Amino acid sequence: CHNSFIYHSENEEYLDVPKKDNLCMTEEEKFKEKWSFNIIHNTDIEDKLVNLINADKDKTIHVLEVGCGLGETLAKIQFKYPNAQIYGIEFSPQKTAISSIFLNVVQGDTEKLRIPFGNIRFDYIILLDTLGYFQQPKEIIKKLSGRLKSKGAFLCSVPNFMTL
């Protein structure tokens, strides 16, 4: 089944809450040990940003997400816009190993990387909570601006570092 993420959680009627919580923590730890990151912090689809895409459902759009993680938001876009051509850049080799199985994702440091994917110009470039982590965020915006279509748009979110 494409565009799916499976998160297994035992039925609460089957396990009491302390056993269930312990099982989930054990599974999270196994995943982190194998892949070197916490799965719980990498499975949120950013529906609010996906809903900002203003395109006909059947139109072919080109979307790039920088810092795409496991590709959950890109997969949602692909589901909502079946003709969308989606691309991602992810810094983490472990996350790229997973996301590149079913999406067009490359691994690299966007600040150093020549933007891949040929000469494609994008309708949307997504930066979800990533700008604050770049050493030169203005330079990233300039670099990526050259890959936007004339009526293309950035879809960005910036975390509130004061709450972290």
Side-chain angles (χ1 to χ4, degrees):
C1 182
H2 70 285
N3 289 337
S4 296
F5 290 91
I6 298 171
Y7 177 79
H8 183 262
S9 179
E10 293 292 333
N11 184 337
E12 287 189 32
E13 295 174 17
Y14 181 72
L15 287 176
D16 61 31
V17 173
K19 284 183 181 177
K20 176 182 168 227
D21 288 345
N22 190 32
L23 177 64
C24 288
M25 285 178 49
T26 301
E27 296 304 316
E28 284 176 42
E29 289 168 10
K30 287 180 184 178
F31 186 95
K32 187 173 182 178
E33 184 179 311
K34 178 177 180 177
W35 293 100
S36 302
F37 68 90
N38 186 326
I39 186 70
I40 299 303
H41 302 294
N42 289 276
T43 55
D44 292 332
I45 296 170
E46 294 294 334
D47 284 313
K48 287 181 182 178
L49 267 82
V50 172
N51 292 335
L52 292 174
I53 294 175
N54 186 20
D56 180 52
K57 181 185 152 200
D58 297 318
K59 183 180 177 189
T60 298
I61 57 173
H62 294 85
V63 180
L64 170 65
E65 183 178 3
V66 176
C68 65
L70 298 176
E72 60 279 3
T73 298
L74 287 173
K76 177 69 178 249
I77 293 167
Q78 184 75 71
F79 176 76
K80 190 171 179 180
Y81 300 93
N83 295 318
Q85 301 295 309
I86 55 173
Y87 305 86
I89 301 172
E90 174 53 46
F91 182 78
S92 164
Q94 295 86 352
K95 293 176 188 176
T96 304
I98 295 170
S99 61
S100 64
I101 293 169
F102 57 95
L103 298 169
N104 189 357
V105 176
V106 297
Q107 191 274 324
D109 180 344
T110 308
E111 289 189 282
K112 298 174 184 172
L113 184 68
R114 182 174 178 270
I115 304 300
F117 314 116
N119 293 322
I120 294 171
R121 292 176 115 14
F122 298 97
D123 296 284
Y124 297 94
I125 296 178
I126 301 172
L127 295 134
L128 299 174
D129 296 345
T130 55
L131 280 174
Y133 294 99
F134 290 120
Q135 291 182 15
Q136 302 288 328
K138 287 181 185 178
E139 294 304 314
I140 291 293
I141 294 295
K142 285 180 188 176
K143 183 179 188 177
L144 294 171
S145 292
R147 297 300 296 269
L148 271 177
K149 290 182 179 178
S150 61
K151 293 188 179 188
F154 281 104
L155 301 179
C156 306
S157 65
V158 180
N160 182 349
F161 285 105
M162 297 298 290
T163 63
L164 297 179

